[in-house]
Amino acid sequence: MAVDITYLGHSGFLIRDTNQPEYAVAIDPFLTGNDSAKHTPDDIKCSHIVISHGHADHFGDDTFAIAKKNSAPVFGVFELAEFCTTQGVEAVEPMNPGGQVQTPFGFVALTDAVHSSSYQGQYMGVATGIILNIGGVTIYHAGDTALFRGMKTIRKLYKPNVAMLPIGDRFTMGPDHAARAAEMISPKFVIPMHYNTWPIIEQDPATFHPPAISTQIMAAGDTWHYGG
Ligand code: NI
Ligand code: MN
């Protein structure tokens, strides 16, 4: 069991199955208009895309371009998936929180998130977190969210090995709440995200230190190998 996790900046990740490298999942790729990004949409080679919610720092033209170029299906909440089809994306996997879809590499599930979701003024369904099982590794990408008690249930249901948690505050948890979230989820590793993209979500990631959990701080463009 092993994956290669590339941080695309902000809340974007590319997660590749080390042993079956034809399977790579892009989560919330936000590259155009993201000064921290080291990749362009053309650089992203993926087989699948999963989107947490409709806000433009997670979803939009980059999603559509990457989906089309790679013939990659887009997984997301029902309204968001429907919107993708109106933008010419051919394959979508509409879902809702609590649902799971089997894939050739494992599965994708959506969880609750406490947050809003819209795109260009249009309702995009509820905001979600993402569970990705790939290469025998289970990853919880919390999306944009507040701390909520259901994270304990997420731990019980999925036992994630790695969790990506927002720490930027203002729109999501800040470092203190994210540390509480990490305790509730209890993964082996936690990766902070959704900070320092703009001054209004500036944070020192060193202030995020959940006890007894290893923190993997990544810079945009970094790739980290997790597993055997
Ligand atoms: Ni958001
Ligand atoms: Mn956001």
Side-chain angles (χ1 to χ4, degrees), residues 29-45:
F30 163 55
L31 307 169
T32 307
N34 176 359
D35 291 341
S36 73
K38 304 288 186 237
H39 296 76
T40 68
D42 266 359
D43 296 333
I44 305 301
K45 308 282 182 261

Side-chain angles (χ1 to χ4, degrees), residues 53 55 57-58 115-116 144:
H53 67 295
H55 287 155
D57 56 325
H58 301 257
H115 193 69
S116 61
D144 281 1

Side-chain angles (χ1 to χ4, degrees), residues 60-201:
D61 289 343
D62 289 351
T63 314
F64 315 136
I66 294 167
K68 289 173 192 173
K69 192 170 167 61
N70 293 277
S71 300
V74 178
F75 293 66
V77 81
F78 178 81
E79 289 81 358
L80 184 150
E82 290 291 291
F83 185 78
C84 286
T85 63
T86 71
Q87 302 302 305
V89 174
E90 292 196 354
V92 295
E93 292 283 358
M95 303 177 63
N96 240 307
Q100 179 170 316
V101 174
Q102 298 305 123
T103 62
F105 55 77
F107 66 82
V108 174
L110 296 184
T111 73
D112 285 346
V114 177
H115 193 69
S116 61
S117 180
S118 60
Y119 184 70
Q120 296 177 345
Q122 187 175 335
Y123 174 64
M124 282 292 133
V126 296
T128 69
I130 296 161
I131 299 286
L132 181 67
N133 176 265
I134 179 169
V137 176
T138 301
I139 292 166
Y140 170 46
H141 182 291
D144 281 1
T145 188
L147 179 65
F148 60 97
R149 292 175 57 82
M151 287 175 177
K152 286 191 176 172
T153 305
I154 290 172
R155 154 140 195 91
K156 282 186 189 156
L157 291 173
Y158 300 108
K159 297 179 180 62
N161 307 106
V162 177
M164 292 126 176
L165 300 176
I167 67 160
D169 215 334
R170 182 179 289 262
F171 302 110
T172 68
M173 299 184 282
D176 291 346
H177 290 194
R180 302 284 186 102
E183 284 183 71
M184 290 165 77
I185 300 153
S186 194
K188 280 202 175 58
F189 284 90
V190 68
I191 302 173
M193 65 177 181
H194 209 273
Y195 67 98
N196 287 356
T197 317
W198 301 284
I200 52 169
I201 54 169

Side-chain angles (χ1 to χ4, degrees), residues 201-214:
I201 54 169
E202 192 172 320
Q203 294 292 338
D204 176 359
T207 64
F208 172 62
H209 44 73
I213 298 166
S214 302

Side-chain angles (χ1 to χ4, degrees), residues 1-4 16-22 135 228:
M1 62 168 246
V3 289
D4 294 287
R16 191 172 297 278
D17 183 337
T18 306
N19 298 312
Q20 298 184 92
E22 65 272 31

